[in-house]
Amino acid sequence: MKRDILIHPDPRLKKLCAAVPDISDEIRTLAKDMLETMYAAPGVGLAAPQVGVLTRIISLDCAKQDAEPPQAPEPLIMVNPEIIAASDEMNVYDEGCLSIPEVYAEVTRPKDVRVRWLDLEGSEQERDMEGLWATCVQHEIDHLDGKLFIDYLKPLKRQMITRKMQKLKREKARG
Ligand SMILES: [Zn+2]
């Protein structure tokens, strides 16, 4: 089932999310819903707090489906993900966020990261990630700590974006 994506500013997007203690049916349903919501948006990543659930789960799929030939979908769910190593080399990417629609800004992050997480069977997984996957996984893990990509920008730019989103939300509320 598709869920509603929270739009910034929302206090739930600023919260530290709790670790998942065990993989329950509720968690499996949430994971399935997150993938469905992410693909429908469409987006390459989604974190549970973006659908109002303050728990440490993210979904990703950075396979290039618009490439020629298109890459096969690669849905990935990470429970309690952690960055366990990061390259000194940095990378700049023009980031966006499903909770901050139609806003893009350059963010600098480590180019490569090693990530550890639990899959939906409760098994520990580790993977080296690079390119868009590395950017995306860092962006999504930030969400679990209540951090948005605009928090990396200068305060003036961040305030401008926040005001734009407040206006967008007022317009949406009026319908
Ligand atoms: Zn985001």
Side-chain angles (χ1 to χ4, degrees):
M1 195 184 68
K2 225 176 85 183
R3 303 200 187 190
D4 289 335
I5 297 175
L6 301 180
I7 302 298
H8 165 74
D10 187 298
R12 289 166 288 181
L13 294 172
K14 304 301 291 176
K15 294 274 198 288
L16 179 68
C17 296
V20 175
D22 56 3
I23 313 284
S24 59
D25 284 346
E26 198 183 329
I27 292 296
R28 275 185 277 266
T29 302
L30 171 64
K32 193 166 157 276
D33 288 356
M34 282 175 62
L35 281 173
E36 195 180 329
T37 306
M38 179 183 85
Y39 285 125
V44 294
L46 187 71
Q50 292 181 277
V51 293
V53 184
L54 302 182
T55 191
R56 302 187 80 83
I57 302 182
I58 60 174
S59 66
L60 303 174
D61 187 349
C62 301
K64 293 194 170 55
Q65 284 159 53
D66 54 359
E68 236 358 283
Q71 293 176 355
E74 230 181 295
L76 195 54
I77 290 286
M78 295 180 172
V79 176
N80 300 338
E82 282 177 86
I83 306 284
I84 55 171
S87 61
D88 291 330
E89 198 183 338
M90 305 296 274
N91 188 35
V92 180
Y93 197 89
D94 203 25
E95 294 190 22
C97 180
L98 294 176
S99 293
I100 312 173
E102 287 164 42
V103 172
Y104 298 89
E106 287 188 342
V107 178
T108 305
R109 302 181 187 269
K111 187 170 174 284
D112 309 299
V113 290
R114 185 164 184 82
V115 188
R116 182 188 290 154
W117 73 95
L118 291 179
D119 64 20
L120 288 175
E121 271 70 55
S123 310
E124 199 172 275
Q125 304 283 342
E126 259 185 50
R127 194 195 281 189
D128 290 313
M129 302 182 110
E130 53 171 40
L132 180 56
W133 286 94
T135 294
C136 188
V137 78
Q138 293 176 79
H139 174 122
E140 300 311 329
I141 291 176
D142 271 353
H143 272 298
L144 306 180
D145 296 323
K147 192 166 184 180
L148 302 171
F149 83 94
I150 58 170
D151 294 332
Y152 292 91
L153 308 178
K154 294 202 171 69
L156 203 64
K157 176 114 197 243
R158 187 164 64 236
Q159 284 157 19
M160 214 176 72
I161 293 168
T162 299
R163 275 197 295 272
K164 187 174 163 183
M165 290 301 119
Q166 282 165 333
K167 188 163 168 259
L168 178 86
K169 287 175 81 170
R170 277 197 304 272
E171 281 164 5
K172 269 195 168 171
R174 274 200 299 268

